[in-house]
Amino acid sequence: MLALTDKVFLPITVFVLNVVLAVLKFILISAVGACFAIYAKYGGEYAKSVGWIRSAGYLEMVHTFRSTSRRKDVPGLVKWALVVAFFVTLAASFLDKGIAIFVTPATRPGEHTTTLVTSSQYRFKGASNIFVGWEFAVQGNDSAKDTMMKALNSSIANPHAVDGQTYTPVFNAFNATCTDLSVRFGAYSVTNNGCMEVMINFLSFRPSRLLKMSQRSPNQWSITIESNLLPREYNFLDVPVVMSISIESGVACVLTEDYRYRNPMDWDTTGITAFPKTFMSNCILNSSTMIVAAMTTTRIGSVWTDTKFGGAFADESDELLLGMYEALKSADVTLKNGTSTVWTELRVTNSTINLYACATSRADRDVPSKYECVYSSIDTFILTKEPDYDLWYSLPPNGYIAGPAFMSIDYAMRTRTTGKVSNDQMKQDTMAVADYMAQLGYNFYRAPGTFSIHYNVIKPRPGFEIPLWVLIIAGIILIINLTLWQLTYWLVGSPHNSSVYSVIRDRLASRSNTPIPRLMRFQYEPLMFEDVKLLPDRVDSMSNEYRFLLGGVTVDTSPKTE
């Protein structure tokens, strides 16, 4: 139920609004005239003049009041009636303006349609995996999902959007059929009881030697490896994180971090070296099955003496982070030429993988003696569409799409304010993005050089909002005044509710044998309507009675004798 302070939406145009206000103003002014018609009938010999002067306008009322204010033969009540007529008429004239103050332009959802939008996209070869322009930053209090929704409604995804219309991607009904993962870290199997395998790797993965693997808890593992480095590499982790998703038929989806190589000499000695970013992709396996994948990564550096990364993490109590602290405290940090030691803490929970990996820098380069670390949160699962959903595009000949990430979300603005990384927030952001992609389902198609998506389109319905209490008061005033106006018209009657012009015409019509038109000819000297004099040629001021017949041909102005 609406409260009196709630606003009511009126789906009307500016023209209609102005017409409604004009009608309201007309009725109010007419009702004021009706009140003075009643006064004219019962207010005495001056009363009718007040009504006629009011209809002549504000200036006439002012002049009349000034000329009669000092006359003692005019009753005081009549003078006050002139004042009331002025201000009441003025208030009625501006009442519609007062109502208009509370009226504000607004829009409401209107007609619903759907449309397919296909836009051309470009991807740089080699250096980047992201569509050009598809790197978005979280702003203000927006979440990762909010940012992704804005991206899919931006001019990049929908370059021909009509201003004012709302575009919302169509959601599809999907079932998550595989949410348990088998995980490999590089060449080493961590867990193998899932329905699909996820291999976490680093681009250009080097031959390595497993030094240690232990299980800290049912879903957490600690891994230590030693790997060779290429001559140009400073650190084992100075490459993008790659996740490869495999099913029974082989590799089905690949998601790669869009990582830019950095010069370690430019890094801070400790703390965040790369703000968190989320990367996402979807891989269509066949006409009924697809994989969605999302990965969020951040990078942290730390000197040997600081095994807590300069307090870069906000969630110091996270068991995975505590495991990394423990591993680094007891680690052999001896630098070796051409190799790097990597410590990894990894946790697998249903479809989510979280890991910390830290590696030493090589000894045969003039680089800071420090750890370089990566924290990554991954969420991926297989979806099966509902049988009654038909594809609106044709799958490629090879039967599936195994594309790289098409979009990234940057959290620099959010992280910069605190200088800390929230690993729990990163996990929540990753899951939210993956869930949103799952809702999009097959309505999210990427072909070479193009991007297609179905939108629900809502056309705006323009109108105005007005508080309910204003609408109720305006309605009550309208009904009362309309009723008063009509009752006065029927009950008071002419000449009290008529203008001077109407009274003269009616009198002429009653005294003449010829029809008098409503639009009459007027002459000022002498004062005539339709060639009929209204006043005698001469008036004897000493006479005490005159006979003046409107419509007659003679006027007797002689004084009355005894």
Side-chain angles (χ1 to χ4, degrees):
M1 184 175 179
L2 290 176
L4 290 177
T5 55
D6 291 341
K7 291 189 175 182
V8 178
F9 179 74
L10 304 176
I12 58 177
T13 63
V14 176
F15 175 77
V16 174
L17 176 64
N18 289 328
V19 170
V20 171
L21 293 176
V23 170
L24 178 61
K25 179 178 178 179
F26 169 77
I27 294 175
L28 291 177
I29 294 177
S30 299
V32 172
C35 293
F36 279 97
I38 298 174
Y39 174 69
K41 185 173 183 178
Y42 302 104
E45 58 185 358
Y46 284 101
K48 186 56 188 172
S49 296
V50 174
W52 283 340
I53 292 170
R54 185 197 69 85
S55 63
Y58 302 110
L59 191 60
E60 184 70 19
M61 285 188 280
V62 171
H63 288 165
T64 303
F65 179 78
R66 289 178 60 186
S67 64
T68 58
S69 59
R70 295 182 181 181
R71 286 180 56 184
K72 295 182 179 181
D73 59 327
V74 178
L77 184 62
V78 175
K79 299 176 184 179
W80 279 110
L82 271 174
V83 175
V84 171
F86 179 87
F87 286 105
V88 170
T89 305
L90 188 66
S93 300
F94 283 95
L95 187 60
D96 63 316
K97 308 298 189 299
I99 294 175
I101 294 175
F102 297 95
V103 179
T104 55
T107 57
R108 288 290 185 274
E111 179 185 354
H112 289 65
T113 59
T114 59
T115 184
L116 173 63
V117 176
T118 300
S119 57
S120 298
Q121 304 294 334
Y122 183 77
R123 190 195 306 274
F124 290 127
K125 295 181 179 179
S128 176
N129 297 312
I130 308 297
F131 281 152
V132 174
W134 284 74
E135 298 175 286
F136 296 89
V138 171
Q139 303 288 338
N141 296 323
D142 287 350
S143 65
K145 179 180 177 181
D146 294 334
T147 304
M148 188 174 181
M149 292 172 64
K150 289 181 179 179
L152 295 179
N153 281 282
S154 68
S155 59
I156 296 175
N158 189 4
H160 305 297
V162 178
D163 289 340
Q165 295 186 0
T166 302
Y167 295 81
T168 306
V170 176
F171 288 166
N172 300 150
F174 270 80
N175 297 317
T177 57
C178 178
T179 57
D180 294 319
L181 308 177
S182 296
V183 178
R184 296 178 66 87
F185 183 72
Y188 310 107
S189 176
V190 178
T191 175
N192 56 8
N193 57 353
C195 48
M196 65 176 175
E197 182 182 82
V198 177
M199 184 174 71
I200 302 170
N201 212 329
F202 292 87
L203 197 63
S204 302
F205 198 93
R206 302 295 160 225
S208 61
R209 181 168 59 93
L210 180 63
L211 301 181
K212 177 186 175 182
M213 179 183 291
S214 61
Q215 189 168 1
R216 292 183 181 271
S217 66
N219 63 348
Q220 183 175 334
W221 289 263
S222 180
I223 307 167
T224 305
I225 64 172
E226 184 179 82
S227 178
N228 297 326
L229 298 175
L230 292 176
R232 67 175 180 81
E233 293 177 327
Y234 295 94
N235 187 286
F236 176 80
L237 299 179
D238 191 27
V239 288
V241 179
V242 181
M243 60 174 291
S244 302
I245 304 169
S246 302
I247 56 176
E248 294 180 359
S249 59
V251 177
C253 197
V254 177
L255 182 60
T256 305
E257 176 193 17
D258 187 39
Y259 175 72
R260 304 292 195 278
Y261 298 100
R262 291 173 173 83
N263 183 351
M265 297 301 295
D266 296 332
W267 292 340
D268 294 334
T269 56
T270 187
I272 302 170
T273 60
F275 289 120
K277 268 189 178 183
T278 298
F279 306 91
M280 62 207 73
S281 182
N282 67 334
C283 302
I284 300 173
L285 307 185
N286 51 53
S287 60
S288 62
T289 308
M290 68 179 299
I291 295 174
V292 296
M295 173 173 61
T296 304
T297 61
T298 187
R299 291 172 182 266
I300 300 98
S302 181
V303 295
W304 299 133
T305 56
D306 183 2
T307 57
K308 290 194 175 182
F309 318 116
F313 288 100
D315 311 312
E316 293 284 351
S317 61
D318 179 46
E319 292 183 0
L320 203 62
L321 184 59
L322 294 175
M324 178 56 72
Y325 291 164
E326 182 181 340
L328 293 180
K329 284 180 181 179
S330 58
D332 179 8
V333 295
T334 303
L335 299 181
K336 300 177 182 180
N337 294 335
T339 64
S340 181
T341 304
V342 184
W343 295 270
T344 302
E345 293 292 320
L346 186 145
R347 180 171 55 212
V348 181
T349 307
N350 297 327
S351 63
T352 303
I353 303 171
N354 297 288
L355 70 88
Y356 289 94
C358 291
T360 58
S361 301
R362 60 193 300 160
D364 54 342
R365 289 294 183 89
D366 185 16
V367 296
S369 298
K370 60 185 294 187
Y371 299 108
E372 288 303 327
C373 302
V374 172
Y375 172 69
S376 183
S377 178
I378 296 169
D379 198 33
T380 182
F381 37 83
I382 295 177
L383 300 174
T384 302
K385 75 175 183 66
E386 295 294 338
D388 58 348
Y389 179 76
D390 296 325
L391 293 180
W392 42 268
Y393 51 83
S394 300
L395 291 173
N398 60 2
Y400 69 91
I401 302 172
F406 76 98
M407 173 183 172
S408 69
I409 298 176
D410 189 287
Y411 305 95
M413 296 298 294
R414 186 170 66 189
T415 309
R416 186 179 293 123
T417 57
T418 62
K420 293 180 179 291
V421 172
S422 172
N423 31 19
D424 183 66
Q425 183 65 56
M426 288 176 60
K427 181 174 67 174
Q428 297 301 323
D429 289 335
T430 307
M431 294 173 62
V433 169
D435 289 342
Y436 187 70
M437 292 189 64
Q439 290 177 314
L440 293 172
Y442 276 80
N443 182 31
F444 198 82
Y445 181 72
R446 290 176 291 134
T450 62
F451 173 80
S452 300
I453 187 167
H454 251 129
Y455 288 102
N456 286 316
V457 183
I458 302 177
K459 297 181 180 179
R461 186 196 312 174
F464 295 89
E465 285 184 339
I466 183 171
L468 181 59
W469 66 270
V470 175
L471 198 62
I472 292 175
I473 292 176
I476 293 173
I477 292 175
L478 180 65
I479 293 173
I480 292 175
N481 284 274
L482 186 61
T483 303
L484 177 63
W485 177 32
Q486 290 299 312
L487 286 177
T488 304
Y489 181 81
W490 292 108
L491 299 179
V492 175
S494 181
H496 307 292
N497 60 0
S498 303
S499 65
V500 177
Y501 182 89
S502 296
V503 170
I504 293 173
R505 179 196 170 277
D506 292 343
R507 295 294 291 170
L508 289 177
S510 64
R511 300 299 180 92
S512 175
N513 295 326
T514 59
I516 302 298
R518 289 196 173 272
L519 189 63
M520 297 185 294
R521 292 179 290 111
F522 172 76
Q523 182 177 329
Y524 188 73
E525 284 291 344
L527 191 64
M528 293 191 301
F529 277 99
E530 292 292 326
D531 299 328
V532 177
K533 290 184 179 181
L534 299 185
L535 295 175
D537 293 332
R538 179 178 176 276
V539 177
D540 188 350
S541 60
M542 299 300 293
S543 301
N544 53 26
E545 184 177 343
Y546 301 97
R547 288 188 301 109
F548 175 40
L549 179 61
L550 289 175
V553 295
T554 62
V555 178
D556 184 5
T557 60
S558 61
K560 184 176 181 181
T561 59
E562 295 293 339

